[in-house]
Amino acid sequence: MRLKPDNILSLPARPVPYAVLGSPINHSLSPVMQQAAFDQLGLEARYFRIEVDEEGLAKAVTRLRQVPFGGWNCTVPNKVKMVELCDRRAESAEQFGAVNTVTNEKGVLVGHNTDGTGWSRAMREAFGRGPDEMRIVLLGSGGAGRAIATQAILEKCPELVVANRNPARARDMLAHLNAQFADGPLARTAQNLRMIRWEDEALEKALREADVVVNATSAGLDPKAAPVLQARMIPGNLLVFDSVYGAGCAKFRQEVETAGATWSDGLGMLLHQGAAAFSLWTGQTAPVEIMRRALLSNLPVPTK
Ligand SMILES: NC(=O)c1ccc[n+]([C@@H]2O[C@H](COP(=O)([O-])OP(=O)(O)OC[C@H]3O[C@@H](n4cnc5c(N)ncnc54)[C@H](OP(=O)(O)O)[C@@H]3O)[C@@H](O)[C@H]2O)c1
């Protein structure tokens, strides 16, 4: 259910309100997924979508505290701004420099990030192995790209190669990761964390030497944009994980299938970050299959 920021204060404290905060927010599938989970476990809770951007976020959070909300998710463009609006940050929020889940612990707002573990679980579910066993080519260095790269390093992936259309952004991300993981067992070398140019030849070479390519670009959301990779560039034995789901991944999926490679969309990532958020709020195991069914039956366009 959609809720305007101005109406937050008119909500009763029961059923306990939860929400996803973002802009645009109409397309978000979090409400159907989370409401299905609350209903399945018989919890008296109501999950809303609230259209709010970075500018309005602080005011909205003040209101969410007053009702009070049980917790909320943040999506584009609010994940970074939410870090400073929390009273405390869990280790995951510090590691990712972004918050996608807030728990309200007796008035203390605690920021968490479940995007990385959500991606990792989805990879294991789709391909039967995780980032620790995979040489990864990562396309994209935006919010999702950063979360995936961080999780890959936390799980000691043997090789991470990054390409981004705008090379400055990839360079920034690598500098940040190298600083964050400068010492200790997770420290990276120029060999196992590097960037390549966003050019066919460099990409093709990297893909031949990889186990999986992860698409963390938003190219699929632009109907006019070409697929991020053409079929001729994709080795048939490659695993392909697209963080996009629904209609946005159709063109890329077509290229991957033409190449004969193994493809997974990003629905599992959405599902598992949501399931982890649900457990943080309720302390209960999330009914993952109920949540998955809710997602699949509410997708605008069928997907795998
Ligand atoms: N499944 C999930 O749970 C989940 C979670 C989060 C995000 N996502 C998906 O991940 C994607 C990225 O999200 P985000 O939050 O990282 O967005 P973002 O911060 O805006 O970053 C967008 C990224 O896409 C690249 N890009 C955009 N258009 C492109 C094109 N035509 N060709 C090549 N690269 C292009 C950008 O490259 P430049 O730097 O060159 O502009 C940048 O790396 C979105 O499609 C989103 O739906 C899925």
Side-chain angles (χ1 to χ4, degrees), residues 140-144 164-166 169 198 216-219 221 243-244 266 270:
S141 304
N164 195 59
R165 184 179 60 177
N166 170 1
R169 206 163 178 193
W198 185 269
T217 77
S218 52
L221 303 184
S243 62
V244 184
L270 176 71

